[in-house]
Amino acid sequence: MRTDQILTRLERVFARLDREPERPAHLQTPQMSRHRVVLLGSTLAFYLAIVVAVLTTSWLVRLDWQIMFFRPYEQWPQLHAFLDYLVVLGQRGPTAVMVAAWLGWRSWRQHTLRPLITLGVALLLLNITVGSVKLGLGRLGPHYATEIGSAELFAGGDIFPSGHTANAVVTWGILAYLASTGVTRRVLSVVSAVVSLSVGATTVYLGTHWVSDVLLGWSAGLLILLALPWFEPLIARTEAYVFDVRELLRRRAETGRMPAPVVSVLTPLLSAGGKWQLRPATEVAGGAVGGVAEEPVPQPVRGTVAAATATAPASTAATATAVTVHSPTTRPAAHPAGRPHVIRSERTPVTPVGSRRPAHTERAAARGAAARPVAGG
């Protein structure tokens, strides 16, 4: 008859995560190298140059208006239906779900939460940096422009920089950032670059963004990817904190300091595929004492000792009694048979009547000589 435990899908997930990380031996956490620092500085300078060019209504703003009047969606209308679907690769919701599914599988394979936490940190940085600039500059899009030749800044808009473009760079670029091998990283870098460039160009084709919006979105997403190694210690601490919280919830559930409905909901998350089982609080509190109390207490064989000491000479009785007293089978119990046996750390500090030390040989011999013979012996 099979007695294997049937695990739920969520329990199997946490059972895999409970193991040690099985990462390739050559896989290392990305570091902020000199090459990366140079790229980060160059991208930051490009980012600031675009912002200054738009603020000063330079040639870049004139280029925005020229392309807007060109109306690419009217020049090549046959591409409109296809590009309507392609631009979805830059939307936050669909791309985050797709990439999170892939990184969740990576977490399952490598038994670590680092891929998912890295994605969360990258998206959080994207929302903070891009969102603050959008709201701060308040630029209007091409379809809502009011004055020809102006930058349309501080007018209540939210399209500068392009969120679709920045999101495409981050969500697809995170796959290359977390790649296991150098070849995979290079291939995924090319794929993410093609996708982000296509999404940015598509927004210009559809007339939803200026060219300068797309340029700033590309640089904003690249800045986040280049700065991620600075957040690796935070990612590691977050992963450790998640598992520490789970251990804390386990202890609270075992000791009964958590409401029963909450325990029933959290048990699949805390069981970790059979490595941890919830025990009642009474069992946890009295398990040590109850388990020992059930063990049988050995009884002394007093009749045998008395008979042997009564029929033998004094010296022989003393020797036999000494051997009998120190024998593990006939040694008197420390407590009466009716009381449970407890370990030394659980005894009361009050010393009971009589001595706990083993009987002295001469005293035992004297008591043995004066003992009565057993009836019929």
Side-chain angles (χ1 to χ4, degrees), residues 144-157:
Y144 302 96
T146 57
E147 183 180 352
I148 297 176
S150 68
E152 301 294 337
L153 294 173
F154 310 110

Side-chain angles (χ1 to χ4, degrees), residues 17-268:
L17 294 177
D18 241 14
R19 305 176 187 175
E20 291 296 326
E22 297 180 2
R23 304 174 183 173
H26 58 276
L27 181 61
Q28 296 180 354
T29 302
Q31 304 293 328
M32 186 57 73
S33 61
R34 181 178 301 178
H35 177 68
R36 187 180 289 269
V37 171
V38 172
L39 287 177
L40 179 65
S42 303
T43 307
L44 181 60
F46 182 72
Y47 183 95
L48 296 176
I50 295 174
V51 173
V52 172
V54 173
L55 288 174
T56 57
T57 316
S58 64
W59 61 271
L60 186 57
V61 176
R62 294 194 296 271
L63 178 63
D64 289 339
W65 280 96
Q66 290 174 2
I67 295 179
M68 193 273 285
F69 285 129
F70 181 70
R71 291 181 174 85
Y73 54 89
E74 294 181 356
Q75 301 296 328
W76 302 284
Q78 64 275 11
L79 299 177
H80 202 291
F82 171 74
L83 294 180
D84 275 338
Y85 290 100
L86 181 63
V87 78
V88 177
L89 295 177
Q91 290 183 356
R92 186 73 47 83
T95 56
V97 171
M98 289 186 288
V99 175
W102 170 262
L103 295 182
W105 182 79
R106 285 281 306 276
S107 295
W108 174 277
R109 288 291 303 274
Q110 296 182 351
H111 318 307
T112 175
L113 293 175
R114 178 177 172 265
L116 291 175
I117 297 176
T118 304
L119 175 64
V121 171
L123 293 180
L124 181 61
L125 293 174
L126 179 66
N127 290 333
I128 294 174
T129 56
V130 174
S132 59
V133 176
K134 278 176 173 287
L135 297 178
L137 296 179
R139 191 181 190 186
L140 295 176
H143 293 313
Y144 302 96
T146 57
E147 183 180 352
I148 297 176
S150 68
E152 301 294 337
L153 294 173
F154 310 110
D158 57 353
I159 56 98
F160 182 71
S162 172
H164 279 71
T165 305
N167 183 73
V169 174
V170 171
T171 52
W172 300 111
I174 202 71
L175 300 179
Y177 178 82
L178 296 171
S180 303
T181 62
V183 176
T184 306
R185 183 176 294 109
R186 287 190 290 270
V187 171
L188 291 177
S189 298
V190 172
V191 171
S192 62
V194 171
V195 171
S196 58
L197 290 173
S198 301
V199 170
T202 300
T203 59
V204 175
Y205 168 87
L206 297 175
T208 57
H209 280 286
W210 308 98
V211 174
S212 56
D213 299 342
V214 174
L215 294 177
L216 196 65
W218 282 331
S219 57
L222 187 57
L223 282 175
I224 294 173
L225 292 179
L226 292 174
L228 273 181
W230 280 335
F231 296 89
E232 285 294 339
L234 175 63
I235 294 171
R237 289 195 299 269
T238 303
E239 183 180 13
Y241 176 77
V242 170
F243 289 110
D244 289 344
V245 168
R246 190 180 64 175
E247 292 299 325
L248 177 62
L249 293 177
R250 284 178 175 180
R251 291 194 296 269
R252 289 186 176 180
E254 288 178 346
T255 55
R257 292 182 295 171
M258 187 181 297
V262 178
V263 173
S264 62
V265 172
L266 294 181
T267 296

